Amino acid sequence: QVQLVESGGGLVQAGESLRLSCAASGRILSMSVMGWYRQAPGKQRELVADITSADNTNYADSVKGRFTISRDGARNTVYLQMNGLKPEDTAVYYCNVKGRRTLYSFFDTWGQGTQVTVSS
C-alpha cells in the first residue's frame, strides 16, 4: 500500500500565498508522475499541475505564473507553492501520485484532500 499525507491548506486573503505538501510512504520503487488536482463545490475535479520524475512540469492555464510545483525525490514529497491566490482558487486540493511498487506492480494513489479557502 502507498499512502499520501497532504498538509498546508488553510484560509488566506486574496493575494497571499500557501504551500501545499504531499508526502508518500509505503512500498514505493519509483514515482513517475506527481500532481495536484482541485475540486470546487459543484465543479469537476481538475488538474492544477503535475511533475514527472524527469522534472517536466505541466500547469493549468488558470495558475500559470502563480503556482509552482516541485518535488523532493529523496523524501518522496511533492510541493505546490501558490502565490497570488484568488477567490476562484478556493477548492479542496488533492495530491495524486502514479508509480511502481515493484517492477511489475503499479499504483495510482490519491490523498485525502486539503481545503484551501481564499477570501476577497
Side-chain angles (χ1 to χ4, degrees), residues 46-110:
E46 62 175 0
L47 175 68
V48 176
D50 60 23
I51 184 168
T52 71
S53 57
D55 288 330
N56 296 312
T57 58
N58 176 46
Y59 294 93
D61 288 343
S62 59
V63 307
K64 283 181 181 177
R66 299 188 297 124
F67 291 10
T68 302
I69 190 169
S70 62
R71 67 182 188 91
D72 183 337
R75 298 176 186 268
N76 285 343
T77 300
V78 60
Y79 305 96
L80 185 68
Q81 177 67 43
M82 304 185 293
N83 298 328
L85 283 160
K86 304 176 180 179
E88 51 263 44
D89 294 318
T90 295
V92 178
Y93 284 69
Y94 296 91
C95 176
N96 174 260
V97 177
K98 300 175 178 63
R100 292 175 182 261
R101 293 188 191 91
T102 69
L103 285 176
Y104 308 105
S105 175
F106 298 86
F107 68 88
D108 181 346
T109 301
W110 291 88

Side-chain angles (χ1 to χ4, degrees), residues 1-4 23-29 76 100-101 107:
Q1 283 281 49
V2 175
Q3 296 84 35
L4 303 180
S25 63
R27 188 173 187 181
I28 299 171
L29 177 63
N76 285 343
R100 292 175 182 261
R101 293 188 191 91
F107 68 88

